[in-house]
Amino acid sequence: MKKYTDTNIESIYYHDRMGEKKFAAITVFVENYLEKHIKLQDMFNEINSFINYKNNTKDNIFEPETSIMGLSSLLTMAGVKKPLHREVFEDIAYNNFNTEGTARERAIKIHKAWLEKALELRGQEDD
């Protein structure tokens, strides 16, 4: 298992060892970022349904990930480097984008799930 050091304190894998102020600031940033991403996702879903009206293949698709802002940058900032872990965190987000609740509620739900998953994956981040 990887030993905790000052150099990995910025990583989501060690969020439970961050100072309270630092963790609160990161939480505000992450949840605001996710909320904006979800709002864009909702908007693009509406646009996609409009532009695909009478399009049987439904292949005109715009997504925030490729068009404006994505999760990749956020996960990089969180210290998620391993491709398999990146997929896990992305899946958590994608599976919750279109769930019930406001964009803010969904953002908080995703962030909470990410924090829980990070603790499960701790020690495997560099394998």
Side-chain angles (χ1 to χ4, degrees):
M1 180 176 227
K2 185 175 178 178
K3 186 176 184 207
Y4 170 77
T5 65
D6 284 341
T7 58
N8 59 17
I9 193 166
E10 303 300 322
S11 166
I12 191 171
Y13 300 102
Y14 294 90
H15 68 272
D16 60 328
R17 298 181 183 175
M18 286 182 191
E20 194 174 315
K21 282 185 179 181
K22 183 169 210 77
F23 182 70
I26 290 171
T27 295
V28 167
F29 175 80
V30 170
E31 290 175 0
N32 285 341
Y33 189 100
L34 285 169
E35 181 180 14
K36 288 181 184 348
H37 189 87
I38 290 166
K39 286 180 179 179
L40 283 171
Q41 183 74 37
D42 289 348
M43 181 183 70
F44 280 124
N45 286 343
E46 291 298 318
I47 291 169
N48 291 337
S49 66
F50 176 74
I51 63 173
N52 281 305
Y53 178 70
K54 293 190 177 185
N55 174 3
N56 293 334
T57 59
K58 308 281 187 222
D59 58 356
N60 292 320
I61 298 174
F62 297 102
E63 297 176 325
E65 187 68 32
T66 57
S67 301
I68 298 177
M69 62 188 278
L71 297 175
S72 182
S73 297
L74 184 59
L75 292 171
T76 298
M77 288 177 60
V80 180
K81 299 173 190 159
K82 192 173 180 179
L84 182 60
H85 287 195
R86 192 173 286 267
E87 283 181 40
V88 169
F89 287 106
E90 287 173 349
D91 285 347
I92 289 169
Y94 295 138
N95 290 333
N96 286 286
F97 280 160
N98 297 317
T99 59
E100 297 277 325
T102 66
R104 184 73 180 164
E105 291 166 342
R106 289 179 278 165
I108 291 168
K109 183 186 209 180
I110 292 166
H111 189 218
K112 183 179 178 192
W114 278 2
L115 295 174
E116 291 171 4
K117 184 54 74 175
L119 292 177
E120 288 177 33
L121 297 173
R122 186 188 311 189
Q124 303 170 28
E125 64 268 23
D126 292 326
D127 291 346

